[in-house]
Amino acid sequence: MNTASFYRDTWAEIDLSAIKENVSHMKKHIGENTHLMAVVKANAYGHGDAEVGKAALEAGASCLAVAILDEAISLRKRGITAPILVLGAVPPEYVQAAAEYDVTLTGYSVEWLQEAARHLGGETVSFHLKVDSGMNRLGVKTEEEVQSVLKILGQNPGLVCKGVFTHFATADEKDRSYFLCQFDRFKKLIAPLPLKELMVHCANSAAGLRLKKGFFNAVRFGISMYGLRPSAEITDEIPFRLKPAFTFHSTLSHVKKIHKGESVSYGAAYTAHKDQWIGTVPVGYADGWLRKLKGTAVLINGKRMNIAGRICMDQFMVELDQCYPPGTKVTLIGSQKEETITMDEIAGRLETINYEIPCTISSRVPRMFLENGSIMEVRNPLLQENTSK
């Protein structure tokens, strides 16, 4: 019986040592008395939620955060016992499921709390109160609403408030004016709450990296846990070196020589101006390598070589400077010899932010988890199997 974890020559490598290093540095930066909440929503930004979550907890994180209840339950089923906060809106009729799996929810409105209380059948569910300080997404935003929350809590012992938080809209921008406005608004709104009994968090990666104080007693560590800058604007304010954890690789599946005047890929948009070696790489937009990346460089033999023609659903072609044997490694994100293609470079080509790039790499790309250079686990959702060493 073949026991391979995947059957294609395309994979992503996730360096768990890098995750741990970033968490350790951030923990040192914010201080031992401040909780670090590791944000592993969206499959840990495409990296692998359970694997990254376990690594972050081992490195000093106190708890995890996700976006939806399904993500939290999945982590519970994979052995995560640490506290988990769902940052997004969970319909109040699902509070019993949250209670069953010991998952902390976000209470984001007076109406939500009232409905959640009605759906509790004797269970106790914990939540963090979301305060809208200026993002205008989720959260209570008036002093009257905060007083109503306190009243609801007094009448419903099954609702247990364990924290309060807000989210900044511009923490990753040089101009701090709106950020400071939100910060002051948050402090004013939470003043009536028993703050000494609660986990209080407002700082995301950007704010946590930039602030010297004002963390309250917890910081959410998201994008920078993965070794990525919250934005290019604040690069000079980042207090320690971030180590990227995600690299993306494939191989040449086929190599051929085409002649001057021959075209490559759909639409014949690429035409050779000379006799040219062309390699085929088994990666396409179904894997998250989007059509807009036409012409982008990949690394082969430590050299940059450009994608030739349109990217197909499952494959793309690349200009080669010579004939390479099939099986030659191709790096789409990462390093070969002295050359590196960063997540930020790909984000720039796609006119987006680096957050989006690893999230876009689809689940049919197996994730290979490494620690200290050794393969610890391979996760391939297509085969619904995880193999550990």
Side-chain angles (χ1 to χ4, degrees), residues 29-30 168 176 179-180 183 202-203 206-215 237:
H29 173 64
I30 64 178
F168 295 127
R176 297 192 181 201
F179 161 75
L180 293 173
F183 190 54
C202 64
L209 290 166
R210 300 174 78 187
L211 291 176
K212 298 295 188 293
K213 57 182 179 179
F215 301 123
E237 298 182 59

Side-chain angles (χ1 to χ4, degrees), residues 263-271 278 290-296 306-312 315-319:
S263 297
V264 174
S265 197
Y266 290 115
Y270 175 96
T271 300
I278 293 289
L290 305 181
R291 279 165 55 96
K292 195 172 181 179
L293 290 170
K294 170 187 171 183
T296 299
N306 292 331
I307 293 174
R310 294 177 183 168
I311 294 170
C312 309
Q315 302 171 85
F316 66 77
M317 279 63 77
V318 60
E319 298 175 322

Side-chain angles (χ1 to χ4, degrees), residues 116-134:
R118 292 191 188 102
H119 283 90
L120 283 173
E123 303 90 346
T124 295
V125 68
S126 59
F127 73 96
H128 286 201
L129 178 65
K130 179 68 179 289
V131 171
D132 181 2
S133 59

Side-chain angles (χ1 to χ4, degrees), residues 159-170:
L159 292 174
V160 180
C161 185
K162 290 190 174 181
V164 60
F165 70 108
T166 194
H167 190 66
F168 295 127
T170 62

